[in-house]
Amino acid sequence: MKPIRLMTLAPGHFHAALVQKRMVPGVTARNYVYAPLDADTVAYLERLAAFNARAENPTAWEVDLRASDGWRERFEREQPGNVVFLSGRNRPKIDLMRLAVRNNLHVIADKPWVIEYADFPKVEELYRETDLRDVLVWDVMTERHEVTNQLVREFIRDGYIFGKWQAGTASQPALNLESRHFLRKTVASRPLVRPWWWFDPKVAGESLADVGTHLADLALWFVSPDRMINYRSDVHHLAAEAWPLLLSEDEFCALTGLPRYPEALAARVVNEQLYYAGNNTVTLALAGVHVKLATTWEFEAPAGGADTHAVTALGTHAKIEVRHDPTGVPEVYLAATNPADHAELFRRLAAKCELMRGRLPGLAATDRGTEVKLEIPDRLRTTHEDHFATVMDEFVRYFHNPRAVPAWERPNTLGKYYITTKAIEMARNKPPA
């Protein structure tokens, strides 16, 4: 089979290195990097070098660095690879994707592809071009590979357990998805240094347009797991909110390693505090189901804490939740919609877990009186960092067999970026209270 030869363009996000945290079968070791020779590129190269030098399971990436002010033109002229990888500044990403596709190259791109509603039509244009060029574009949706999300989807699809979706209301949605992130964290055993542009919504986007892409993707994955969504008729935005996280200059400097606020962020600094566009909510009707998505950021987690995600899904037979235990581990719980059906729900769940043990060995159900907890063995749990290589495995598989890409993937990708970008515009244009 034809090997994948990666060309990485302007790596500016730590996700760019995480995709290469391990060697991926079918991907050649040599990686061509086209980028400006700036702090973002240096940080990316340092992460790859650390992967190559680690004592356990070292990688063997060979970097062919082609850095210059004219890196984009040089890339378009030379094109030594056949797949472009993108994980950098968010606003220019869609134009780099379109450039690659126009040159008959396949693309794997980290979220988000677009951060502004004005750029949403470019995603449709991108897909039209992929049809003409017969190339694959793929979104790095790591949250699909988190075991609790996979279990939620599995049980939602089981009408015997979940029933059908309740419709919910705008004030009491049937699906609630919430993610809470922290700016100060450790990635690949190293303190994460964030680039200054991370804090500029014109470059990085507001939180719902960035990390919220995962929530919109999961909403589609849960509500319409096997059906194509038409964003024009199936998605109806009802309300959207946005509010900032205030950071002191000391906090900003601790996150970026810079001595002060850069001039480029001056418009976002008031009374020596940076207004970071880190919090958003949107309520919408998705294929008749009321959904609420919420993204929040804080400076630093409590001791030992980490990013969290929460899920509540309401079916006619059962409620499914993802909650974090006191140690921060996400767990899945189910409760009968009618409490009188609790014993029957537990019986059905126990039987379902037994059937799933071939795929998920050790999965079990525990009766907790008013709800059932799924016991997830540690060997089924993987880290956020691990998920990136899994996405690359997925891309390699579809690269060699593009007809295997689910029919719903493209329309639902359009749907999720419509959800996020339209919500940002809606919150921005909301009249003051």
Side-chain angles (χ1 to χ4, degrees), residues 309-358:
H309 72 282
V311 179
T312 303
L314 303 180
T316 53
H317 292 171
K319 175 174 72 173
I320 305 176
E321 290 186 280
V322 175
R323 307 195 302 262
H324 288 251
D325 71 12
T327 67
V329 176
E331 304 286 2
V332 180
Y333 301 85
L334 291 92
T337 302
N338 181 351
D341 296 332
H342 171 77
E344 178 63 16
L345 175 66
F346 174 66
R347 187 188 67 79
R348 293 180 181 185
L349 282 170
K352 175 83 171 182
C353 290
E354 188 66 34
L355 289 172
M356 295 171 63
R357 281 181 183 168

CSV table of all heavy atoms in Angstrom, one decimal, residues 309-358:
chain,number,residue,atom,x,y,z
A,309,HIS,N,-15.4,16.6,31.6
A,309,HIS,CA,-16.5,16.7,30.7
A,309,HIS,C,-17.7,16.0,31.4
A,309,HIS,O,-17.5,15.1,32.1
A,309,HIS,CB,-16.2,16.1,29.4
A,309,HIS,CG,-16.2,14.6,29.4
A,309,HIS,ND1,-15.1,13.9,29.8
A,309,HIS,CD2,-17.1,13.7,29.0
A,309,HIS,CE1,-15.3,12.6,29.7
A,309,HIS,NE2,-16.5,12.4,29.2
A,310,ALA,N,-18.9,16.6,31.2
A,310,ALA,CA,-20.1,16.1,31.8
A,310,ALA,C,-21.1,15.9,30.7
A,310,ALA,O,-21.2,16.7,29.8
A,310,ALA,CB,-20.6,17.0,32.9
A,311,VAL,N,-21.9,14.8,30.8
A,311,VAL,CA,-23.0,14.5,29.9
A,311,VAL,C,-24.2,14.1,30.6
A,311,VAL,O,-24.2,13.4,31.6
A,311,VAL,CB,-22.6,13.3,29.0
A,311,VAL,CG1,-23.7,13.0,28.0
A,311,VAL,CG2,-21.3,13.5,28.3
A,312,THR,N,-25.4,14.6,30.2
A,312,THR,CA,-26.7,14.2,30.6
A,312,THR,C,-27.5,14.0,29.4
A,312,THR,O,-27.7,14.9,28.6
A,312,THR,CB,-27.3,15.2,31.6
A,312,THR,OG1,-26.5,15.4,32.7
A,312,THR,CG2,-28.7,14.6,32.1
A,313,ALA,N,-28.0,12.8,29.2
A,313,ALA,CA,-28.9,12.4,28.1
A,313,ALA,C,-30.2,11.8,28.6
A,313,ALA,O,-30.1,10.8,29.3
A,313,ALA,CB,-28.2,11.5,27.1
A,314,LEU,N,-31.3,12.3,28.1
A,314,LEU,CA,-32.6,11.9,28.6
A,314,LEU,C,-33.4,11.1,27.6
A,314,LEU,O,-33.7,11.6,26.5
A,314,LEU,CB,-33.5,13.1,29.1
A,314,LEU,CG,-32.9,14.0,30.1
A,314,LEU,CD1,-33.8,15.2,30.4
A,314,LEU,CD2,-32.5,13.2,31.4
A,315,GLY,N,-33.6,9.8,27.8
A,315,GLY,CA,-34.4,9.0,27.0
A,315,GLY,C,-35.7,8.6,27.6
A,315,GLY,O,-35.9,8.9,28.8
A,316,THR,N,-36.6,8.0,26.8
A,316,THR,CA,-37.9,7.6,27.3
A,316,THR,C,-37.8,6.5,28.3
A,316,THR,O,-38.7,6.3,29.2
A,316,THR,CB,-38.8,7.2,26.2
A,316,THR,OG1,-38.2,6.2,25.4
A,316,THR,CG2,-39.1,8.4,25.3
A,317,HIS,N,-36.7,5.7,28.3
A,317,HIS,CA,-36.5,4.6,29.2
A,317,HIS,C,-35.5,4.9,30.3
A,317,HIS,O,-35.6,4.4,31.4
A,317,HIS,CB,-36.1,3.3,28.5
A,317,HIS,CG,-37.1,2.7,27.6
A,317,HIS,ND1,-36.9,1.7,26.8
A,317,HIS,CD2,-38.5,3.0,27.5
A,317,HIS,CE1,-38.0,1.4,26.1
A,317,HIS,NE2,-39.0,2.2,26.5
A,318,ALA,N,-34.5,5.7,30.0
A,318,ALA,CA,-33.4,5.9,30.9
A,318,ALA,C,-32.7,7.2,30.7
A,318,ALA,O,-32.7,7.8,29.6
A,318,ALA,CB,-32.3,4.8,30.7
A,319,LYS,N,-32.1,7.7,31.8
A,319,LYS,CA,-31.2,8.8,31.8
A,319,LYS,C,-29.8,8.3,31.9
A,319,LYS,O,-29.4,7.5,32.7
A,319,LYS,CB,-31.5,9.8,33.0
A,319,LYS,CG,-30.5,10.9,33.1
A,319,LYS,CD,-30.9,11.9,34.2
A,319,LYS,CE,-30.6,11.3,35.6
A,319,LYS,NZ,-30.9,12.3,36.6
A,320,ILE,N,-28.9,8.9,31.0
A,320,ILE,CA,-27.5,8.5,31.0
A,320,ILE,C,-26.7,9.7,31.4
A,320,ILE,O,-26.9,10.8,30.9
A,320,ILE,CB,-27.0,8.0,29.6
A,320,ILE,CG1,-27.9,6.8,29.2
A,320,ILE,CG2,-25.5,7.6,29.7
A,320,ILE,CD1,-27.5,6.3,27.8
A,321,GLU,N,-25.7,9.5,32.3
A,321,GLU,CA,-24.9,10.6,32.8
A,321,GLU,C,-23.4,10.2,32.8
A,321,GLU,O,-23.1,9.1,33.1
A,321,GLU,CB,-25.2,11.1,34.2
A,321,GLU,CG,-26.6,11.8,34.3
A,321,GLU,CD,-26.8,12.3,35.7
A,321,GLU,OE1,-27.1,11.5,36.6
A,321,GLU,OE2,-26.5,13.5,35.9
A,322,VAL,N,-22.5,11.2,32.5
A,322,VAL,CA,-21.1,11.1,32.8
A,322,VAL,C,-20.8,12.1,33.8
A,322,VAL,O,-21.0,13.3,33.7
A,322,VAL,CB,-20.3,11.3,31.5
A,322,VAL,CG1,-18.8,11.3,31.9
A,322,VAL,CG2,-20.5,10.3,30.4
A,323,ARG,N,-20.3,11.6,35.0
A,323,ARG,CA,-19.9,12.4,36.1
A,323,ARG,C,-18.5,12.0,36.5
A,323,ARG,O,-18.1,10.9,36.4
A,323,ARG,CB,-20.9,12.3,37.3
A,323,ARG,CG,-22.4,12.5,36.9
A,323,ARG,CD,-23.2,12.7,38.2
A,323,ARG,NE,-23.1,11.6,39.1
A,323,ARG,CZ,-24.0,10.6,39.2
A,323,ARG,NH1,-25.1,10.6,38.4
A,323,ARG,NH2,-23.9,9.7,40.2
A,324,HIS,N,-17.8,13.0,37.1
A,324,HIS,CA,-16.5,12.7,37.6
A,324,HIS,C,-16.5,12.4,39.1
A,324,HIS,O,-17.2,13.0,39.9
A,324,HIS,CB,-15.5,13.9,37.3
A,324,HIS,CG,-15.2,14.1,35.9
A,324,HIS,ND1,-13.9,13.8,35.4
A,324,HIS,CD2,-15.9,14.4,34.8
A,324,HIS,CE1,-13.9,14.0,34.1
A,324,HIS,NE2,-15.1,14.4,33.7
A,325,ASP,N,-15.8,11.3,39.4
A,325,ASP,CA,-15.7,10.9,40.8
A,325,ASP,C,-14.8,11.9,41.6
A,325,ASP,O,-14.2,12.8,41.0
A,325,ASP,CB,-15.3,9.5,41.0
A,325,ASP,CG,-13.8,9.2,40.7
A,325,ASP,OD1,-13.1,10.2,40.5
A,325,ASP,OD2,-13.5,8.0,40.5
A,326,PRO,N,-14.7,11.8,42.9
A,326,PRO,CA,-13.8,12.7,43.7
A,326,PRO,C,-12.4,12.8,43.2
A,326,PRO,O,-11.7,13.8,43.4
A,326,PRO,CB,-14.0,12.2,45.1
A,326,PRO,CG,-15.3,11.6,45.2
A,326,PRO,CD,-15.4,10.9,43.8
A,327,THR,N,-11.9,11.7,42.6
A,327,THR,CA,-10.5,11.8,42.1
A,327,THR,C,-10.4,12.3,40.7
A,327,THR,O,-9.3,12.4,40.1
A,327,THR,CB,-9.9,10.3,42.1
A,327,THR,OG1,-10.6,9.5,41.1
A,327,THR,CG2,-10.0,9.7,43.5
A,328,GLY,N,-11.5,12.7,40.1
A,328,GLY,CA,-11.5,13.3,38.7
A,328,GLY,C,-11.7,12.3,37.6
A,328,GLY,O,-11.6,12.7,36.4
A,329,VAL,N,-11.9,11.0,37.9
A,329,VAL,CA,-12.1,10.0,36.9
A,329,VAL,C,-13.6,10.1,36.4
A,329,VAL,O,-14.5,10.0,37.2
A,329,VAL,CB,-11.8,8.6,37.4
A,329,VAL,CG1,-12.1,7.5,36.4
A,329,VAL,CG2,-10.3,8.5,37.9
A,330,PRO,N,-13.8,10.1,35.0
A,330,PRO,CA,-15.2,10.1,34.5
A,330,PRO,C,-15.8,8.8,34.6
A,330,PRO,O,-15.2,7.7,34.3
A,330,PRO,CB,-15.0,10.6,33.1
A,330,PRO,CG,-13.6,10.2,32.7
A,330,PRO,CD,-12.8,10.3,34.0
A,331,GLU,N,-17.1,8.7,35.1
A,331,GLU,CA,-17.8,7.5,35.2
A,331,GLU,C,-19.2,7.6,34.5
A,331,GLU,O,-19.7,8.7,34.4
A,331,GLU,CB,-18.0,7.1,36.7
A,331,GLU,CG,-16.7,7.0,37.5
A,331,GLU,CD,-15.9,5.8,37.2
A,331,GLU,OE1,-16.3,5.0,36.3
A,331,GLU,OE2,-14.8,5.6,37.8
A,332,VAL,N,-19.7,6.5,34.1
A,332,VAL,CA,-21.0,6.5,33.4
A,332,VAL,C,-22.1,5.9,34.4
A,332,VAL,O,-21.9,4.8,35.0
A,332,VAL,CB,-21.0,5.6,32.1
A,332,VAL,CG1,-22.3,5.6,31.4
A,332,VAL,CG2,-19.9,6.2,31.2
A,333,TYR,N,-23.2,6.6,34.5
A,333,TYR,CA,-24.3,6.2,35.3
A,333,TYR,C,-25.6,6.1,34.5
A,333,TYR,O,-25.8,7.0,33.6
A,333,TYR,CB,-24.5,7.1,36.5
A,333,TYR,CG,-23.3,7.2,37.4
A,333,TYR,CD1,-22.3,8.1,37.1
A,333,TYR,CD2,-23.2,6.4,38.6
A,333,TYR,CE1,-21.2,8.3,37.9
A,333,TYR,CE2,-22.1,6.6,39.4
A,333,TYR,CZ,-21.1,7.5,39.1
A,333,TYR,OH,-20.0,7.6,39.9
A,334,LEU,N,-26.5,5.2,34.8
A,334,LEU,CA,-27.8,5.2,34.1
A,334,LEU,C,-28.9,5.1,35.2
A,334,LEU,O,-28.7,4.4,36.2
A,334,LEU,CB,-27.9,4.0,33.2
A,334,LEU,CG,-27.1,4.1,31.9
A,334,LEU,CD1,-25.7,3.4,32.1
A,334,LEU,CD2,-27.8,3.4,30.7
A,335,ALA,N,-30.0,5.7,35.0
A,335,ALA,CA,-31.1,5.7,35.9
A,335,ALA,C,-32.4,5.5,35.1
A,335,ALA,O,-32.5,6.1,34.0
A,335,ALA,CB,-31.2,6.9,36.8
A,336,ALA,N,-33.3,4.7,35.6
A,336,ALA,CA,-34.6,4.5,34.9
A,336,ALA,C,-35.4,5.8,34.9
A,336,ALA,O,-35.5,6.5,35.9
A,336,ALA,CB,-35.4,3.4,35.5
A,337,THR,N,-36.0,6.2,33.8
A,337,THR,CA,-36.8,7.4,33.7
A,337,THR,C,-38.0,7.2,34.7
A,337,THR,O,-38.4,8.2,35.3
A,337,THR,CB,-37.3,7.6,32.2
A,337,THR,OG1,-36.2,7.7,31.4
A,337,THR,CG2,-38.2,8.8,32.1
A,338,ASN,N,-38.6,6.0,34.7
A,338,ASN,CA,-39.6,5.7,35.7
A,338,ASN,C,-38.9,4.9,36.8
A,338,ASN,O,-38.4,3.8,36.6
A,338,ASN,CB,-40.7,4.9,35.1
A,338,ASN,CG,-41.8,4.5,36.1
A,338,ASN,OD1,-41.7,4.7,37.3
A,338,ASN,ND2,-42.9,4.0,35.6
A,339,PRO,N,-38.8,5.4,38.0
A,339,PRO,CA,-38.0,4.7,39.1
A,339,PRO,C,-38.5,3.3,39.3
A,339,PRO,O,-37.8,2.4,39.8
A,339,PRO,CB,-38.3,5.6,40.3
A,339,PRO,CG,-38.5,7.0,39.8
A,339,PRO,CD,-39.2,6.8,38.5
A,340,ALA,N,-39.8,3.0,39.0
A,340,ALA,CA,-40.3,1.7,39.2
A,340,ALA,C,-39.7,0.7,38.3
A,340,ALA,O,-39.8,-0.5,38.5
A,340,ALA,CB,-41.9,1.7,39.0
A,341,ASP,N,-39.0,1.2,37.2
A,341,ASP,CA,-38.4,0.3,36.2
A,341,ASP,C,-36.9,0.0,36.6
A,341,ASP,O,-36.2,-0.5,35.7
A,341,ASP,CB,-38.5,0.9,34.8
A,341,ASP,CG,-39.9,1.0,34.4
A,341,ASP,OD1,-40.7,0.2,34.8
A,341,ASP,OD2,-40.2,1.9,33.6
A,342,HIS,N,-36.4,0.5,37.7
A,342,HIS,CA,-35.0,0.4,38.1
A,342,HIS,C,-34.5,-1.1,38.0
A,342,HIS,O,-33.4,-1.3,37.4
A,342,HIS,CB,-34.7,0.9,39.5
A,342,HIS,CG,-33.3,0.6,39.9
A,342,HIS,ND1,-32.2,1.4,39.5
A,342,HIS,CD2,-32.8,-0.3,40.8
A,342,HIS,CE1,-31.2,0.9,40.1
A,342,HIS,NE2,-31.5,-0.1,40.8
A,343,ALA,N,-35.2,-2.0,38.6
A,343,ALA,CA,-34.7,-3.4,38.6
A,343,ALA,C,-34.6,-4.0,37.2
A,343,ALA,O,-33.6,-4.7,36.8
A,343,ALA,CB,-35.6,-4.3,39.4
A,344,GLU,N,-35.6,-3.6,36.3
A,344,GLU,CA,-35.5,-4.1,34.9
A,344,GLU,C,-34.4,-3.5,34.2
A,344,GLU,O,-33.7,-4.1,33.4
A,344,GLU,CB,-36.9,-3.8,34.3
A,344,GLU,CG,-36.9,-4.2,32.8
A,344,GLU,CD,-36.8,-5.7,32.6
A,344,GLU,OE1,-36.9,-6.5,33.6
A,344,GLU,OE2,-36.5,-6.1,31.4
A,345,LEU,N,-34.1,-2.2,34.4
A,345,LEU,CA,-33.0,-1.5,33.8
A,345,LEU,C,-31.7,-2.2,34.2
A,345,LEU,O,-30.8,-2.4,33.3
A,345,LEU,CB,-33.0,0.0,34.1
A,345,LEU,CG,-31.7,0.8,33.6
A,345,LEU,CD1,-31.8,0.8,32.1
A,345,LEU,CD2,-31.7,2.2,34.2
A,346,PHE,N,-31.5,-2.5,35.4
A,346,PHE,CA,-30.3,-3.1,35.9
A,346,PHE,C,-30.2,-4.5,35.2
A,346,PHE,O,-29.1,-4.9,34.8
A,346,PHE,CB,-30.3,-3.3,37.4
A,346,PHE,CG,-29.1,-4.1,37.9
A,346,PHE,CD1,-27.8,-3.6,37.8
A,346,PHE,CD2,-29.3,-5.3,38.5
A,346,PHE,CE1,-26.7,-4.3,38.2
A,346,PHE,CE2,-28.2,-6.1,38.9
A,346,PHE,CZ,-26.9,-5.6,38.8
A,347,ARG,N,-31.2,-5.2,35.1
A,347,ARG,CA,-31.1,-6.5,34.5
A,347,ARG,C,-30.7,-6.4,33.0
A,347,ARG,O,-29.9,-7.2,32.5
A,347,ARG,CB,-32.5,-7.2,34.5
A,347,ARG,CG,-32.5,-8.7,34.0
A,347,ARG,CD,-33.9,-9.2,34.0
A,347,ARG,NE,-34.7,-8.6,32.9
A,347,ARG,CZ,-34.6,-8.9,31.6
A,347,ARG,NH1,-33.7,-9.7,31.2
A,347,ARG,NH2,-35.4,-8.2,30.8
A,348,ARG,N,-31.3,-5.5,32.3
A,348,ARG,CA,-31.0,-5.3,30.9
A,348,ARG,C,-29.5,-4.8,30.7
A,348,ARG,O,-28.8,-5.2,29.8
A,348,ARG,CB,-31.9,-4.2,30.3
A,348,ARG,CG,-33.3,-4.7,30.2
A,348,ARG,CD,-34.3,-3.7,29.6
A,348,ARG,NE,-35.6,-4.2,29.5
A,348,ARG,CZ,-36.6,-3.5,28.9
A,348,ARG,NH1,-36.4,-2.3,28.3
A,348,ARG,NH2,-37.9,-4.0,28.9
A,349,LEU,N,-29.0,-3.9,31.6
A,349,LEU,CA,-27.7,-3.4,31.6
A,349,LEU,C,-26.7,-4.6,31.8
A,349,LEU,O,-25.6,-4.7,31.2
A,349,LEU,CB,-27.5,-2.3,32.5
A,349,LEU,CG,-28.0,-0.9,32.1
A,349,LEU,CD1,-28.0,0.1,33.3
A,349,LEU,CD2,-27.2,-0.4,30.9
A,350,ALA,N,-27.0,-5.4,32.8
A,350,ALA,CA,-26.1,-6.5,33.2
A,350,ALA,C,-26.0,-7.4,32.0
A,350,ALA,O,-24.9,-7.9,31.6
A,350,ALA,CB,-26.6,-7.2,34.4
A,351,ALA,N,-27.1,-7.7,31.3
A,351,ALA,CA,-27.1,-8.6,30.1
A,351,ALA,C,-26.3,-7.9,29.0
A,351,ALA,O,-25.6,-8.6,28.3
A,351,ALA,CB,-28.5,-8.9,29.7
A,352,LYS,N,-26.5,-6.6,28.8
A,352,LYS,CA,-25.8,-5.9,27.7
A,352,LYS,C,-24.3,-5.9,28.0
A,352,LYS,O,-23.5,-6.1,27.0
A,352,LYS,CB,-26.3,-4.4,27.7
A,352,LYS,CG,-25.6,-3.5,26.7
A,352,LYS,CD,-26.1,-3.7,25.3
A,352,LYS,CE,-25.5,-2.6,24.4
A,352,LYS,NZ,-26.1,-2.7,23.1
A,353,CYS,N,-23.8,-5.7,29.2
A,353,CYS,CA,-22.4,-5.7,29.5
A,353,CYS,C,-21.8,-7.1,29.2
A,353,CYS,O,-20.7,-7.2,28.7
A,353,CYS,CB,-22.2,-5.3,31.0
A,353,CYS,SG,-22.5,-3.6,31.3
A,354,GLU,N,-22.6,-8.1,29.5
A,354,GLU,CA,-22.1,-9.5,29.2
A,354,GLU,C,-21.9,-9.7,27.7
A,354,GLU,O,-20.9,-10.3,27.3
A,354,GLU,CB,-23.2,-10.5,29.8
A,354,GLU,CG,-22.7,-12.0,29.7
A,354,GLU,CD,-21.5,-12.2,30.6
A,354,GLU,OE1,-21.5,-11.6,31.7
A,354,GLU,OE2,-20.7,-13.1,30.3
A,355,LEU,N,-22.8,-9.2,26.9
A,355,LEU,CA,-22.7,-9.3,25.5
A,355,LEU,C,-21.5,-8.5,24.9
A,355,LEU,O,-20.9,-8.8,23.9
A,355,LEU,CB,-24.0,-8.8,24.8
A,355,LEU,CG,-25.2,-9.7,24.9
A,355,LEU,CD1,-26.5,-8.9,24.4
A,355,LEU,CD2,-25.0,-11.0,24.2
A,356,MET,N,-21.2,-7.4,25.6
A,356,MET,CA,-20.1,-6.5,25.1
A,356,MET,C,-18.7,-6.9,25.6
A,356,MET,O,-17.7,-6.3,25.2
A,356,MET,CB,-20.4,-5.0,25.6
A,356,MET,CG,-21.7,-4.4,25.0
A,356,MET,SD,-22.1,-2.9,25.8
A,356,MET,CE,-20.7,-1.8,25.4
A,357,ARG,N,-18.6,-7.9,26.4
A,357,ARG,CA,-17.3,-8.3,27.0
A,357,ARG,C,-16.3,-8.7,26.0
A,357,ARG,O,-15.1,-8.7,26.2
A,357,ARG,CB,-17.5,-9.3,28.1
A,357,ARG,CG,-18.0,-8.6,29.4
A,357,ARG,CD,-18.1,-9.6,30.5
A,357,ARG,NE,-18.6,-8.9,31.7
A,357,ARG,CZ,-19.1,-9.5,32.8
A,357,ARG,NH1,-19.1,-10.8,32.8
A,357,ARG,NH2,-19.6,-8.8,33.8
A,358,GLY,N,-16.8,-9.2,24.8
A,358,GLY,CA,-15.8,-9.5,23.8
A,358,GLY,C,-15.1,-8.3,23.3
A,358,GLY,O,-13.9,-8.4,23.0
